[in-house]
């Protein structure tokens, strides 16, 4: 199986992680095929990076910390492979469950009890943006982070997994240990709270 094109869009990368080909790759990796294991990590690494940057931040020291945590996640997933005994379709939520624990460990080490998810995690740097556009975007991102910070940690986690990472309600439920119905209810309440807070602010 070939690795994802490094220049592929996030939609293409994440779409492939939900494909039958990915499930076949997981099965081969669980059968201890060394080539499949290597390819598996090539496939999931961009998704792990995106998740960690969304939870920790993507600027300055936070950006570096997120990438360090992503490496910890990969090592933890590698160590957990021999113990994984669920269906291949549940492997991606399993990975995000490990990632969530590693992010929590990161914040405990830093003496903090909450994540600050970034509202936007682009595939790369926009070299065509003017200084004014970059300033505006940075301001909007900062405001979005403050807005998301008004949510409870579990609500933030659900929004990151559902809206930033793109997991389904069922996949999110597996990753964080809730039912799919509870995930949908929590997401609805979180979005309602964000809308109320947004209406009360002076963004525009």
């Amino acid at each position: 199986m070939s690795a994802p094109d490094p220049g592929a869009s996030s939609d293409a990368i994440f779409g492939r992680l939900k494909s039958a080909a990915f499930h076949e790759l997981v099965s081969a990796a669980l059968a201890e095929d060394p080539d499949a294991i290597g390819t598996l990590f090539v496939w999931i690494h961009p998704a792990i990076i995106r998740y960690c940057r969304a939870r920790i931040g993507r600027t300055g020291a936070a950006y570096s910390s997120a990438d360090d945590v992503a490496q910890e996640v990969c090592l933890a997933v590698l160590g957990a492979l021999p113990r994984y005994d669920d269906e291949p379709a549940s492997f991606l939520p399993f990975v995000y469950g490990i990632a969530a624990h590693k992010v929590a460990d990161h914040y405990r080490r830093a003496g903090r009890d909450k994540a600050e998810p970034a509202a936007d995690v682009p595939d790369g740097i926009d070299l065509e943006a003017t200084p004014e556009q970059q300033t505006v975007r940075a301001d909007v991102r900062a405001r979005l982070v403050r807005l998301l910070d008004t949510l409870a940690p579990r609500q933030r986690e659900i929004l990151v997994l559902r809206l930033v990472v793109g997991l389904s309600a069922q996949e999110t439920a597996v990753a964080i240990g809730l039912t799919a119905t509870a995930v949908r209810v929590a997401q609805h309440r979180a979005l309602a709270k964000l809308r109320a807070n947004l209406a009360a602010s002076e963004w525009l």
Side-chain angles (χ1 to χ4, degrees):
M1 296 181 187
S2 61
D5 177 2
S9 68
S10 289
D11 286 344
I13 291 172
F14 283 92
R16 197 166 190 182
L17 292 180
K18 297 182 180 181
S19 67
F22 178 71
H23 297 160
E24 293 173 5
L25 179 61
V26 171
S27 295
L30 294 176
E32 301 184 358
D33 180 334
D35 290 336
I37 292 172
T39 303
L40 176 67
F41 281 88
V42 171
W43 281 36
I44 66 175
H45 186 257
I48 294 172
I49 285 282
R50 184 180 178 91
Y51 172 81
C52 291
R53 290 178 183 175
R55 290 292 311 279
I56 296 172
R58 63 179 191 82
T59 58
Y63 191 100
S64 298
S65 294
D67 289 2
D68 289 342
V69 172
Q71 292 300 322
E72 293 179 17
V73 173
C74 287
L75 290 174
V77 172
L78 180 61
L81 268 181
R83 303 190 301 275
Y84 183 78
D85 59 0
D86 206 342
E87 295 295 322
S90 298
F91 184 74
L92 194 58
F94 168 75
V95 170
Y96 283 120
I98 291 176
H101 285 297
K102 289 299 180 182
V103 168
D105 288 344
H106 164 76
Y107 280 103
R108 278 193 290 270
R109 290 196 300 267
R112 301 166 66 181
D113 61 358
K114 61 183 178 180
E116 295 180 354
D120 178 33
V121 185
D123 297 322
I125 299 172
D126 184 358
L127 299 178
E128 297 182 358
T130 66
E132 292 79 9
Q133 289 173 325
Q134 293 176 0
T135 299
V136 170
R137 291 175 186 175
D139 180 62
V140 169
R141 282 194 297 270
R143 293 186 183 199
L144 286 173
V145 167
R146 289 196 296 272
L147 187 63
L148 287 171
D149 200 36
T150 65
L151 299 176
R154 178 55 61 87
Q155 290 178 322
R156 288 198 303 272
E157 174 77 355
I158 287 171
L159 287 190
V160 168
L161 288 173
R162 293 283 283 123
L163 304 182
V164 177
V165 176
L167 294 188
S168 68
Q170 183 59 48
E171 289 167 334
T172 301
V174 172
I176 64 177
L178 294 177
T179 65
T181 298
V183 166
R184 294 188 185 96
V185 170
Q187 180 181 349
H188 174 76
R189 290 175 177 171
L191 291 174
K193 184 173 182 179
L194 288 182
R195 282 192 291 268
N197 290 341
L198 181 60
S201 67
E202 297 180 358
W203 272 52
L204 301 177

